[in-house]
Amino acid sequence: RAIADALSLLSRPPGRMALGEALDWLEAEIDQKGLDALSPGMHNGFFSRPRRQEFLAAVSRLRGARFETDSGVAEGKRPKVVGGGGGG
């Protein structure tokens, strides 16, 4: 459940950023606010903090995820998170 809420939060990043930057932002939010950052106001005591590779594994399995690349060139560029991919 924590990964699903994290993916939902990642679908609304604070601006355009590379996927690695988005994960850095997500981890900083969790460091600062605790796991409550994943579902504000819900105070779910049953969450455990997913590892970074678990977030990446979940992102790689999203069929509807949309990413864009710098200058439209796919090779050698890092994808940007633009949101609207999941459903949670």
Side-chain angles (χ1 to χ4, degrees), residues 1-2 5 8 12 33-47:
R1 177 73 186 162
D5 286 351
S8 178
R12 300 179 304 277
K33 300 175 185 173
L35 291 171
D36 291 336
L38 300 179
S39 56
M42 297 295 288
H43 304 297
N44 191 334
F46 297 103
F47 278 177

Side-chain angles (χ1 to χ4, degrees), residues 59-83:
V59 168
S60 74
R61 289 176 177 88
L62 289 175
R63 292 183 183 171
R66 294 184 301 133
F67 300 98
E68 60 185 49
T69 58
D70 295 334
S71 68
V73 179
E75 290 77 30
K77 299 294 181 177
R78 301 177 84 179
K80 303 288 183 189
V81 177
V82 294

Side-chain angles (χ1 to χ4, degrees), residues 7-52:
L7 292 175
S8 178
L9 189 60
L10 278 175
S11 73
R12 300 179 304 277
R16 295 169 57 106
M17 58 183 68
L19 181 56
E21 293 169 336
L23 287 174
D24 290 343
W25 169 78
L26 176 65
E27 289 181 327
E29 286 290 301
I30 294 171
D31 288 344
Q32 181 182 23
K33 300 175 185 173
L35 291 171
D36 291 336
L38 300 179
S39 56
M42 297 295 288
H43 304 297
N44 191 334
F46 297 103
F47 278 177
S48 60
R49 184 178 182 146
R51 296 171 294 181
R52 186 177 184 95

